[in-house]
């Protein structure tokens, strides 16, 4: 029975990812989750008490996987500038990933303070990875620089997500160039 519940919970999270990446936070509804998974709506409530609870669990499950990929790319890079470049490139390379799209949709969404706090903490972990590289480069305010650097990444993510005129690769190259020029001060 426990294994069956685990599978249903995983199916609900997978459906939530799809809904978020296809239609943003408005698409994530309990009727839509029920329809996607073939469960009764009442069954969805047995697993999650609210949309925020679904979102919290998605963040808890997906964000660490995504952050670990960014961290691994940074660890493979040699030297602080290469680490910063890896930080930017890996995040932008993950834009097409449904886990990432779901997390981005969530970040923009209307969430309760508990869910928002969890997302902030997860983002904080991501930013902490680049603070060290910035400190090594001699930045006087590495934390502020890291937050601003993440702002460049977030803007590039949104630009790629919009599917605007530029090719995602051009957006990535522009973001990397801006990040590296910026960190050199």
């Amino acid at each position: 029975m426990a294994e069956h519940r685990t599978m249903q919970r995983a199916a609900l999270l997978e459906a939530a990812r799809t809904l978020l990446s296809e239609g943003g936070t408005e698409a994530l509804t309990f009727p839509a989750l029920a329809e996607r998974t073939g469960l009764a709506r009442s069954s969805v409530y047995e697993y999650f008490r609210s949309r925020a609870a679904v979102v919290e669990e998605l963040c808890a499950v997906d964000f660490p996987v995504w952050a670990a990929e960014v961290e691994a790319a940074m660890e493979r890079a040699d030297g602080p500038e290469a680490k910063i470049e890896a930080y930017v490139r890996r995040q932008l390379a993950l834009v097409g990933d449904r886990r990432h799209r779901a997390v981005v949709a969530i970040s923009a969404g209307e969430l309760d303070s508990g869910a928002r706090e969890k997302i902030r903490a997860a983002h904080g972990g991501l930013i902490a990875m680049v603070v060290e590289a910035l400190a090594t480069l001699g930045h006087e305010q590495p934390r502020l620089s890291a937050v601003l650097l993440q702002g460049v990444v977030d803007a590039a993510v949104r630009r790629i997500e919009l599917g605007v005129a530029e090719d995602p690769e051009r957006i990535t190259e522009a973001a990397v160039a801006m990040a590296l020029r910026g960190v050199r001060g």
Side-chain angles (χ1 to χ4, degrees):
M1 186 66 194
E3 190 177 318
H4 180 67
R5 284 190 65 79
T6 304
M7 282 171 60
Q8 286 194 325
R9 193 175 199 91
L12 284 165
L13 289 175
E14 191 53 34
R17 269 182 212 108
T18 303
L19 290 165
L20 283 164
S21 62
E22 287 172 2
T25 38
E26 301 78 46
L28 181 61
T29 64
F30 278 33
L33 283 171
E35 190 183 317
R36 290 280 170 125
T37 55
L39 292 169
R41 198 183 312 182
S42 58
S43 297
V44 178
Y45 283 99
E46 287 177 33
Y47 292 91
F48 299 104
R49 67 188 185 285
S50 65
R51 278 172 23 136
V54 177
V55 163
E56 276 187 55
E57 183 137 342
L58 264 183
C59 285
V61 171
D62 289 354
F63 205 97
V65 172
W66 182 52
E69 288 205 31
V70 175
E71 193 168 13
M74 287 180 75
E75 282 171 4
R76 287 189 298 270
D78 197 22
E81 279 192 19
K83 286 184 186 311
I84 289 161
E85 180 171 348
Y87 175 83
V88 174
R89 282 192 189 282
R90 194 67 202 125
Q91 286 190 69
L92 297 180
L94 290 167
V95 170
D97 184 284
R98 277 173 48 259
R99 284 194 152 101
H100 178 275
R101 278 215 301 273
V103 170
V104 168
I106 289 163
S107 305
E110 289 304 306
L111 299 174
D112 66 30
S113 59
R116 270 200 305 272
E117 195 41 56
K118 283 188 177 158
I119 292 169
R120 254 197 302 278
H123 271 280
L126 205 53
I127 287 170
M129 291 191 263
V130 86
V131 169
E132 194 180 332
L134 289 161
T136 305
L137 285 172
H139 275 261
E140 284 176 31
Q141 293 182 288
R143 176 111 191 117
L144 174 61
S145 298
V147 170
L148 295 174
L149 174 64
Q150 186 60 41
V152 169
V153 173
D154 292 344
V157 164
R158 281 193 299 279
R159 195 94 183 144
I160 292 169
E161 288 275 322
L162 286 170
V164 291
E166 305 95 349
D167 174 59
E169 205 160 295
R170 287 187 75 158
I171 296 168
T172 298
E173 293 311 317
V176 167
M178 186 168 278
L180 291 178
R181 276 199 301 275
V183 300
R184 287 180 192 127

